[in-house]
Amino acid sequence: ALLEFAATARLDTGGYTLSQHIPFDSTHKFSAVRIDGARAMTLVKGAPEKLLPACTQYIDETGERRPLSPAVLTYQWNEMTTHAMRVLALAISDQPVSSDDFPPLTLVGLLGIRDELRSETPAAVREVQGAGVQVVMITGDNRDTAAAIAKEAGLLRRDDDVVLTGGELSSKSDEEIKQLLPRLRVVARALPGDKSRLVRLAQEMELVTGMTGDGINDAPALKKADVGFAMGSGTEVAKEAGDIVILNDNFRSIAKAILYGRTIFKSIRKFVIFQLTMNLCAVGVSVLGPFLGVENPITVVQMLWVNIIMDTLAALAYAGEAPLEEYMEEPPKKRAEPIFTSAMLHQVLCMGLY
């Protein structure tokens, strides 16, 4: 997006050479390059809360440097973030920049980038929440931008929904986070370690945890989660660490995965009930027959025929059973819940004896 925006200016960038490069780091929240040529300068790009305190001047529309008024800038910044824009600050300096310290900077401008929400995302979020799944958005955006996007997606709907920043998360103990976790909806300005920590704490609470991600930093959390959803456009490291690759990068696909998973689980239970009921019936007749004077109530060939028809047709029927939307209205299963339950045993015994 930045390259396409800058290309419209048709600037002559010839004659400049790169002499220093500080790559972006989620801890420092900025990147910088030092260029030499007709004029030596350092170009800095990063989070406004990181760069603005170091900005003493700004460049006006005529190219002149003016004293910076933080109040006006803060208002404009807040306006952009409340419209779900990711805001970057662009600044220059005549002096080199280190990763730990800034010289006085001159602000070039604030740049707003907005990731448009897919039209089907709010409905998919509602569907997943209706299925008893808690959705938490973990992002590097600032608090206001993340909250605005979360409201559009339908994640923030109640007054007691919790929004935390990475710094606030780091300052809390594991026990404090566990108490907040059921109401946690958004983690803004998150660091890579925050994702793995949240997955670990959720699993300690006996919750089945899924994690989505696309970057190298997401790989540890994708590997640790019970189900890792890697984005199709993501890095190969993330895809290797995940269990499922979402080719279209769509949250709706995760909702479908949950629906199909529940359908398969129900089909397995139905098939187990069917098999045990039929076998109980067939074995019961074979055992009780001689006591009632029938020496071979079911021959070996007949038993094989029953099993061929029973196993083949039933397996095909249950394997191809269509998923029903009503499955998404049921609460999720607990981690330790067995496949075969007492209700299933009661059904097998009653139907088998009948």
Side-chain angles (χ1 to χ4, degrees), residues 187-208:
V187 179
R189 289 294 187 221
L191 298 176
D194 295 336
K195 302 173 184 178
S196 296
R197 186 186 182 195
L198 286 173
V199 170
R200 174 178 61 82
L201 294 177
Q203 290 175 332
E204 288 179 2
M205 296 173 65
E206 295 298 322
L207 300 174
V208 179

Side-chain angles (χ1 to χ4, degrees), residues 52 55-58 66-71 73 105 107:
L52 292 184
C55 292
T56 58
Q57 296 178 311
Y58 76 97
R66 305 281 186 185
L68 181 63
S69 173
L73 205 59
L105 300 179
L107 182 70

Side-chain angles (χ1 to χ4, degrees), residues 110-187:
L110 294 178
L111 191 70
I113 304 173
R114 177 181 166 89
D115 290 329
E116 292 296 334
L117 205 64
R118 293 176 184 261
S119 58
E120 65 271 21
T121 298
V125 170
R126 286 195 302 272
E127 182 181 9
V128 169
Q129 289 176 332
V133 179
Q134 178 184 347
V135 183
V136 181
M137 185 175 76
I138 307 174
T139 175
D141 292 335
N142 72 25
R143 188 189 195 106
D144 293 335
T145 302
I149 295 173
K151 286 180 180 178
E152 287 189 26
L155 291 177
L156 290 175
R157 294 186 295 177
R158 299 171 53 181
D159 295 336
D160 61 345
D161 289 339
V162 176
V163 179
L164 294 177
T165 63
E168 293 170 341
L169 197 69
S170 300
S171 66
K172 296 184 182 298
S173 66
D174 288 354
E175 291 303 319
E176 289 176 322
I177 295 175
K178 286 180 180 180
Q179 292 178 0
L180 289 175
L181 195 57
R183 296 184 288 115
L184 184 62
R185 298 294 178 265
V186 178
V187 179

Side-chain angles (χ1 to χ4, degrees), residues 16 18 35 40 46-47 67 105 119 130 147 152 192 195 198-199 205 212 215 221 284 321 327 341 349-350:
Y16 287 95
L18 180 68
I35 57 174
L105 300 179
S119 58
E152 287 189 26
K195 302 173 184 178
L198 286 173
V199 170
M205 296 173 65
T212 66
E321 187 165 296
Y327 294 162
T341 64
L349 292 176
C350 290

